[in-house]
Amino acid sequence: DQQVKQNSPSLSVQEGRISILNCDYTNSMFDYFLWYKKYPAEGPTFLISISSIKDKNEDGRFTVFLNKSAKHLSLHIVPSQPGDSAVYFCAAQGENNNDMRFGAGTRLTVKP
Amino acid sequence: SAVISQKPSRDICQRGTSLTIQCQVDSQVTMMFWYRQQPGQSLTLIATANQGSEATYESGFVIDKFPISRPNLTFSTLTVSNMSPEDSSIYLCSVESSLSYEQYFGPGTRLTVT
């Protein structure tokens, strides 16, 4: 069962504009959420995270928003840069480390 | 952060054979994880490997098919046994930061079974 879903397999954005990547989850026991970025031929790298006790976490150009009632989180990248072009994975984790679940990823393309 | 290497980076194997993937970390870690990413699908956790104990497998994955070794705190192997084309995937090992939830991933092993 897919407990974490990224319904948009791809997203294309113009350089300088905002990129918004979305993620939905079904398990209310998840209490920590992460975004990973993956370039081709490399493993995913951690980008930003948010605890369920918060609704927003910001790190430079990256902001993650969490809406617990909707079981939805989003990653905002402002301004988008061509180097941001990658696949972005959303992940959710419960108290048990074995409960980490990943979405299928969204391929972001930032056009110059 | 942790630097993780995997061997081999890719392989093409025949049906019915087995492949052992190695994962090396540049620091001692308690928990190591093995994931699989099949084409078009999400990263899926196969098992968690703790040093000194048997690996814990996720639903749908069994030790006979994916035996794991964890001889020390910096190294682990995952074997894909009796391979079939459905095992074609990218296999990643990862470790978790001792200070946060951050996970660090190896570069992956791309396996193609013919």
Side-chain angles (χ1 to χ4, degrees):
Chain A
D1 64 338
Q2 197 134 5
Q3 297 186 42
V4 178
K5 295 181 181 179
Q6 293 175 256
N7 292 318
S8 297
S10 63
L11 174 68
S12 182
V13 172
Q14 204 67 36
E15 180 179 7
R17 307 293 291 270
I18 184 172
S19 295
I20 300 176
L21 297 100
N22 294 303
C23 178
D24 297 291
Y25 61 96
T26 58
N27 190 340
S28 58
M29 298 304 292
F30 289 138
D31 62 1
Y32 201 79
F33 304 90
L34 308 95
W35 284 94
Y36 289 82
K37 181 167 75 172
K38 183 182 182 304
Y39 291 115
E42 297 181 10
T45 56
F46 171 77
L47 190 58
I48 192 170
S49 63
I50 187 167
S51 165
S52 61
I53 64 174
K54 295 185 176 182
D55 55 17
K56 177 183 175 181
N57 187 27
E58 190 173 350
D59 183 2
R61 297 186 296 114
F62 303 91
T63 303
V64 56
F65 295 92
L66 175 63
N67 182 334
K68 283 181 292 183
S69 61
K71 294 190 178 68
H72 176 84
L73 65 155
S74 60
L75 174 68
H76 292 210
I77 306 173
V78 181
S80 302
Q81 300 173 354
D84 296 329
S85 297
V87 177
Y88 289 79
F89 289 96
C90 162
Q93 191 169 24
E95 289 184 354
N96 182 346
N97 288 334
N98 288 340
D99 288 338
M100 193 168 201
R101 294 288 184 261
F102 285 83
T106 297
R107 181 177 300 279
L108 173 66
T109 302
V110 180
K111 298 178 179 178
Chain B
S1 66
V3 178
I4 305 171
S5 60
Q6 283 185 235
K7 289 181 182 180
S9 59
R10 59 178 60 229
D11 207 342
I12 301 173
C13 302
Q14 289 193 339
R15 181 196 299 261
T17 62
S18 298
L19 176 72
T20 295
I21 302 168
Q22 299 179 7
C23 178
Q24 181 76 50
V25 188
D26 68 343
S27 57
Q28 294 185 339
V29 293
T30 302
M31 300 178 75
M32 294 180 75
F33 305 87
W34 285 99
Y35 289 86
R36 179 172 76 179
Q37 183 176 10
Q38 293 178 304
Q41 299 187 24
S42 62
L43 280 166
T44 303
L45 180 64
I46 298 172
T48 303
N50 292 337
Q51 193 269 338
S53 63
E54 285 195 6
T56 302
Y57 289 83
E58 294 297 292
S59 174
F61 298 97
V62 295
I63 188 171
D64 289 345
K65 175 69 175 177
F66 297 100
I68 289 172
S69 77
R70 185 77 202 276
N72 57 53
L73 291 173
T74 63
F75 187 78
S76 177
T77 67
L78 169 75
T79 299
V80 186
S81 303
N82 188 24
M83 288 183 283
S84 66
E86 292 70 34
D87 294 320
S88 297
S89 182
I90 298 174
Y91 291 84
L92 297 119
C93 74
S94 112
V95 302
E96 187 175 78
S97 166
S98 60
L99 302 176
S100 72
Y101 281 96
E102 296 171 14
Q103 279 198 250
Y104 305 102
F105 289 84
T109 296
R110 182 179 292 276
L111 171 62
T112 303
V113 184
T114 60

